[in-house]
Amino acid sequence: MKKGGWGASKSSMPSLPDLNSIFESKTEEEDSNEPSLVKGTEEEVVTYEKFIQFWKTLATDIKKQNKINLYTLMTAVPPKLVGNQIEVDVENMVQMDVLNMAKVDLLNYLRPALHNFSLDLRGIVMEHDVVRKPYTSQEKYQAMVQKNPLLETLRKELNLGLS
């Protein structure tokens, strides 16, 4: 066998990069690119009126930046302020993703403006009652009886059946 072929020693081979170090360096780079929350020690009590005033101002600024999805999310349903927790109602997981992506920017505006650095933002998925439309004649009849129970009495008095 020739020197430098498959039987060559490990010291003469070029070293391969360690995969663990590659993944660690990428996650460090990704973390450094993401914005972080502003830090502070102020914790003034925030009134709902003052909070809503800044929330609406922020929503207007977001609309000017053409972030229509976020603007709609912020203005569709007024947020709730529970202690230092801002609760925003979202209709689905797509809106939840939009809110989570903008969370740092929203808090970085609201925390210094309201002088409260313990504010946090949380999305709450609204529950929707799925109303199924009546399809069959029996389902349609039952829906009408729910609206007007006297219909059932009339059907019995006239001895009517359903087809």
Side-chain angles (χ1 to χ4, degrees):
M1 198 172 213
K2 292 182 182 176
K3 252 187 174 178
W6 287 104
S9 68
K10 287 185 179 179
S11 61
S12 65
M13 292 174 98
S15 64
L16 295 173
D18 180 21
L19 292 178
N20 290 331
S21 64
I22 291 173
F23 288 120
E24 287 173 1
S25 65
K26 282 189 178 182
T27 56
E28 288 172 4
E29 290 172 10
E30 291 170 359
D31 290 343
S32 64
N33 293 339
E34 291 184 23
S36 60
L37 287 171
V38 290
K39 305 271 189 241
T41 57
E42 291 182 275
E43 284 193 36
E44 284 186 18
V45 176
V46 179
T47 63
Y48 185 75
E49 291 78 22
K50 188 175 178 182
F51 161 70
I52 284 296
Q53 176 187 357
F54 282 101
W55 184 263
K56 288 180 180 178
T57 303
L58 180 57
T60 304
D61 291 344
I62 286 172
K63 185 178 182 182
K64 289 177 185 174
Q65 295 172 15
N66 282 333
K67 296 180 180 179
I68 301 303
N69 289 340
L70 183 58
Y71 172 76
T72 303
L73 174 67
M74 292 177 70
T75 56
V77 179
K80 298 174 196 81
L81 183 63
V82 181
N84 289 330
Q85 185 77 28
I86 302 166
E87 295 179 351
V88 179
D89 290 335
V90 295
E91 292 189 24
N92 52 46
M93 293 311 290
V94 173
Q95 285 187 339
M96 183 68 84
D97 289 342
V98 169
L99 182 65
N100 287 334
M101 288 174 55
K103 179 178 178 176
V104 172
D105 293 332
L106 296 175
L107 287 175
N108 283 346
Y109 173 83
L110 291 170
R111 283 178 170 186
L114 295 170
H115 306 288
N116 188 329
F117 289 88
S118 63
L119 284 175
D120 197 16
L121 182 70
R122 179 173 74 125
I124 298 175
V125 179
M126 293 188 292
E127 293 183 21
H128 294 286
D129 294 332
V130 178
V131 177
R132 187 174 164 269
K133 289 189 174 185
Y135 180 71
T136 65
S137 59
Q138 182 68 29
E139 290 173 345
K140 289 177 184 177
Y141 174 73
Q142 291 300 325
M144 288 190 297
V145 168
Q146 283 181 343
K147 289 182 181 178
N148 188 354
L150 292 176
L151 185 61
E152 179 66 17
T153 308
L154 181 64
R155 185 189 68 81
K156 287 179 182 176
E157 285 179 6
L158 296 175
N159 199 19
L160 298 174
L162 294 174
S163 54

